[in-house]
Amino acid sequence: LVGALVAGIDAGRGYTDWPLMGGEVLPSESFVLVPFWSNFFENPALVQFNHRLLGYIVLGFATYVWLQGHKSALIAVRKWFTFGFAALCIQMVIGIVTVMNSAPLTLASLHQLWAIILICVLLRGLFEVLYPAEQSVRG
Ligand code: HEM
């Protein structure tokens, strides 16, 4: 949903440096619009910053979830959690490459398509947790 805000106002076309944005951590133009709240939806600087930040937070949380999933005795859970974490890392890389190339159609579409693949892989992992398949003790 936060990605849709970026795509919706073409906020991925500016601030093409990474990890900084225009040489700053938080661009100085982030809160120039009035009223204040409109910056969160209409200011390309803040909209892109928020999407990047949420991506980093999700990556941190996903690392924790992946490590937890790795403790599972179920092979399928371990496998799908690893796929999920790998898919998330790939999504991060595609997002970064997209923004560094000023969001061309091909890369932006790949980033959007991969988000769908990512959700599917995560749902598969969740399914393995909720409805575990029978497994032999011999593996
Ligand atoms: C958890 C990681 C991420 C997820 C799940 C994610 C998801 C998405 C989605 C679904 C969209 C497209 C929305 C739409 O077209 O309606 C999008 C757009 C975008 N994302 Fe991400 N994203 C992630 C991380 C990042 C990162 C780390 C960056 C850059 C540093 C980034 C840069 C962009 C840009 C530039 C767009 C706009 C592309 C366009 O103009 O169509 N994303 N993101």
Side-chain angles (χ1 to χ4, degrees):
L1 288 174
V2 174
L5 292 179
V6 182
I9 61 168
D10 278 340
R13 296 257 151 112
Y15 304 99
T16 55
D17 51 337
W18 185 88
L20 296 178
M21 290 181 65
E24 300 172 288
V25 175
L26 174 66
S28 37
E29 309 83 40
S30 295
F31 296 101
V32 289
L33 299 185
V34 178
F36 176 79
W37 58 263
S38 66
N39 288 288
F40 290 87
F41 304 97
E42 291 169 25
N43 185 332
L46 189 61
V47 166
Q48 195 195 121
F49 175 82
N50 284 341
H51 185 55
R52 288 187 185 199
L53 183 64
L54 192 64
Y56 304 144
I57 292 169
V58 167
L59 180 64
F61 181 63
T63 306
Y64 170 75
V65 170
W66 176 56
L67 291 173
Q68 290 299 110
H70 217 69
K71 293 178 190 165
S72 173
L74 298 164
I75 294 167
V77 169
R78 292 204 301 272
K79 182 178 84 177
W80 284 100
F81 272 50
T82 300
F83 284 166
F85 185 64
L88 183 84
C89 292
I90 291 170
Q91 176 71 345
M92 297 288 293
V93 172
I94 298 171
I96 292 165
V97 175
T98 301
V99 86
M100 291 182 88
N101 286 280
S102 206
L105 181 64
T106 41
L107 284 172
S109 303
L110 179 64
H111 188 54
Q112 192 176 20
L113 176 69
W114 199 264
I116 296 166
I117 293 171
L118 175 60
I119 282 191
C120 293
V121 173
L122 296 180
L123 283 175
R124 187 70 167 79
L126 182 62
F127 181 84
E128 292 296 343
V129 172
L130 294 176
Y131 308 101
E134 272 185 34
Q135 182 182 298
S136 162
V137 284
R138 295 190 192 93

